[in-house]
């Protein structure tokens, strides 16, 4: 992903707001529970130091009016149910950061993975007087009616965790998120480490129609092709980032492809479903079948400690401090890069136990 020109140094973001998070509302699908210190928000988002590649977005270029966030109504449109740990952590982070920023009113909605509902949610928040919008898109395409409605009302839109295909600094200010292609490459490296560079890999794809799935898959496959010729990707199937689908799809794949020795899941929820399916098939997850995923949920990191998952590439969901700091910079007239890319850590057998408190 490219990162655009900026006038401000984009470094460690809003430590105070993140350190205060207590994500007690975070839940995963399934029956496993977390201890009292789960998801304490210790892992702060840090923005990558990258080269300038072009002009960014300012208040004047966007054509918006200056706004004091402390006297503003802000809307947050969440894309998927908060039963997924990533979404629960993301939503709670936005809420806590809004309090830290002193926002007068925060309106939150959840599209439940339905694009038409997200469009309606955003339009409804605008009708309720939202003056600034933070949107976690359901899909990269299709939000045009909502973005058009925001533009007509002069309401700036900041997108997080999934990038839309619309026009930056016209339809939206900027994208805040990870380098998903890099995550895929790092997952391939972790898979090679876990398998000794040899194996037959099944890929559990995320939902279609968004850049996260596309880039996590492309990064993994390109890296395997370039560096690991003895890792063979033999099957790919969508499981929609969901644990139950991760389980059912893995069950089907193991029946039709008994030679599978490794699974790459685009997120932890699918990986945890795969763990259950592998065990049900009479095999040992993490040993007979290596499993690598992306996110950094507490249950997945605990699964590394337990030996069921081999590695997890982090995708940090705590966007609240960065989102409100970006909004403040924007309204102060500073130039915002088109893509504000964060750094992501990783969890392995070497650090999972000691870093469990960073997971969400």
């Amino acid at each position: 992903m490219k990162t655009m020109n900026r006038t401000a140094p984009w470094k460690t973001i809003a430590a105070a707001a993140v350190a205060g998070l207590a994500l007690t509302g975070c839940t995963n699908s399934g029956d496993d529970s977390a201890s009292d210190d789960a998801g304490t928000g210790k892992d702060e988002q840090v923005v990558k130091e990258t080269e300038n590649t072009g002009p960014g977005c300012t208040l004047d270029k966007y054509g918006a009016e200056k706004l004091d966030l402390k006297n503003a109504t802000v809307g947050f449109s969440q894309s998927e149910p908060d039963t997924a740990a990533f979404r629960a952590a993301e939503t709670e982070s936005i809420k806590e950061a809004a309090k830290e920023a002193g926002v007068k009113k925060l309106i939150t909605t959840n599209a439940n993975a339905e694009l038409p509902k997200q469009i309606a949610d955003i339009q409804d928040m605008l009708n309720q007087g939202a003056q600034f919008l933070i949107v976690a898109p359901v899909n990269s395409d299709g939000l045009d009616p909502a973005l058009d409605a925001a533009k007509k009302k002069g309401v700036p839109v900041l997108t997080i965790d999934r990038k839309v295909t619309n026009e930056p600094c016209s339809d939206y200010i900027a994208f805040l998120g990870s380098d998903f292609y890099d995550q895929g490459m790092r997952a391939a490296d972790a898979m090679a480490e876990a398998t000794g560079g040899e194996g037959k890999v099944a890929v559990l794809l995320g939902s279609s129609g968004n850049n996260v799935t596309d880039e996590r898959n492309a990064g993994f496959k390109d890296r395997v092709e370039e560096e690991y010729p003895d890792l063979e990707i033999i099957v790919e199937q969508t499981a929609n980032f969901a644990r139950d689908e991760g389980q059912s799809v893995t069950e089907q794949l193991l029946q039709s492809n008994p030679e599978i020795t490794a699974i790459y899941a685009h997120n932890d929820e699918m990986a945890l479903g795969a763990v259950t399916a592998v065990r049900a098939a009479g095999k040992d997850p993490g040993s007979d079948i290596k499993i690598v995923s992306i996110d950094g949920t507490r249950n997945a990191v605990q699964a590394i400690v337990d030996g069921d998952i081999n590695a997890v590439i982090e995708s940090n969901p705590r966007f609240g401090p960065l989102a409100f700091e970006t909004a403040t910079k924007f309204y102060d007239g500073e130039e915002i890069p088109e893509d504000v890319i964060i750094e992501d850590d990783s969890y392995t057998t070497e650090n999972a136990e000691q870093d469990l408190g960073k997971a969400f």
Side-chain angles (χ1 to χ4, degrees), residues 17-350:
V18 182
L21 293 182
L23 302 181
T24 54
C26 294
T27 58
N28 287 304
S29 52
D31 296 327
D32 37 347
S33 60
S35 63
D36 290 340
D37 63 346
T40 52
K42 298 176 183 177
D43 194 17
E44 303 165 12
Q45 284 189 342
V46 177
V47 176
K48 283 187 176 182
E49 293 293 330
T50 53
E51 296 181 0
N52 300 333
T53 57
C57 189
T58 64
L59 187 65
D60 288 342
K61 289 180 183 177
Y62 199 83
E65 296 183 2
K66 192 172 178 63
L67 179 69
D68 180 1
L69 289 173
K70 291 185 178 181
N71 295 313
T73 298
V74 175
F76 172 55
S77 173
Q78 179 57 276
S79 59
E80 296 170 355
D82 283 347
T83 49
F86 184 98
R87 298 301 167 186
E90 185 176 66
T91 298
E92 190 66 18
S93 177
I94 295 291
K95 290 179 177 179
E96 291 294 330
K99 292 178 183 177
E100 290 286 337
V103 169
K104 182 176 70 174
K105 181 180 181 181
L106 178 70
I107 307 170
T108 62
T109 61
N110 196 304
N112 291 316
E114 299 175 7
L115 181 61
K117 186 176 186 307
Q118 184 161 54
I119 293 170
D121 286 346
I122 292 171
Q123 292 170 335
D124 183 57
M125 287 191 289
L126 291 169
N127 291 334
Q128 292 183 59
Q131 298 162 285
F132 185 83
L133 290 172
I134 302 169
V135 177
V138 171
N139 292 331
S140 294
D141 296 309
L143 270 180
D144 305 65
L147 297 177
D148 289 345
K151 184 185 291 188
K152 287 178 182 177
K153 286 183 175 287
V155 176
V157 177
L158 184 67
T159 64
I160 63 173
D161 85 51
R162 286 179 185 169
K163 187 174 174 66
V164 294
T165 56
N166 301 77
E167 185 67 27
C169 206
S170 175
D171 299 318
Y172 69 101
I173 298 168
F175 159 74
L176 314 183
S178 297
D179 184 335
F180 305 115
Y181 185 86
D182 181 67
Q183 288 176 343
M185 290 195 298
R186 293 171 61 206
D189 292 339
M191 183 64 77
E193 177 71 21
T195 61
E198 183 176 352
K200 296 188 182 298
V201 184
V203 179
L204 299 180
L205 302 169
S207 55
S208 60
N210 69 79
N211 69 315
V212 179
T213 296
D214 294 343
E215 293 177 23
R216 284 180 180 172
N217 206 42
F220 185 85
K221 293 172 73 173
D222 287 351
R223 188 72 161 181
V224 166
E225 182 178 354
E226 293 168 2
E227 299 290 338
Y228 309 115
D230 293 327
L231 279 179
E232 182 185 359
I233 300 171
I234 61 171
V235 63
E236 304 172 34
Q237 190 164 327
T238 299
N240 289 310
F241 290 128
R243 188 183 301 197
D244 58 347
E245 292 191 52
Q247 180 178 343
S248 61
V249 169
T250 301
E251 289 171 350
Q252 296 166 14
L253 294 180
L254 291 176
Q255 290 174 3
S256 57
N257 302 274
E259 70 272 26
I260 289 172
T261 59
I263 295 172
Y264 165 46
H266 284 189
N267 81 336
D268 288 350
E269 287 297 303
M270 294 188 295
L272 290 165
V275 167
T276 301
V278 169
R279 189 171 286 118
K283 296 179 180 291
D284 187 9
S287 180
D288 295 331
I289 296 182
K290 310 297 184 182
I291 301 175
V292 172
S293 66
I294 300 174
D295 263 354
T297 65
R298 187 176 179 86
N299 286 334
V301 178
Q302 181 63 54
I304 298 176
V305 177
D306 297 340
D308 294 333
I309 291 178
N310 301 89
V312 172
I313 307 303
E314 183 193 45
S315 194
N316 194 326
R318 300 179 178 101
F319 284 98
L322 177 58
F324 281 97
E325 182 161 327
T326 302
T328 299
K329 289 175 180 286
F330 175 72
Y331 283 117
D332 284 344
E334 296 188 30
E335 190 173 63
I336 309 301
E338 176 185 334
D339 297 321
V340 180
I341 305 302
I342 63 173
E343 295 180 355
D344 291 312
D345 294 326
S346 60
Y347 297 95
T348 66
T349 55
E350 295 180 353

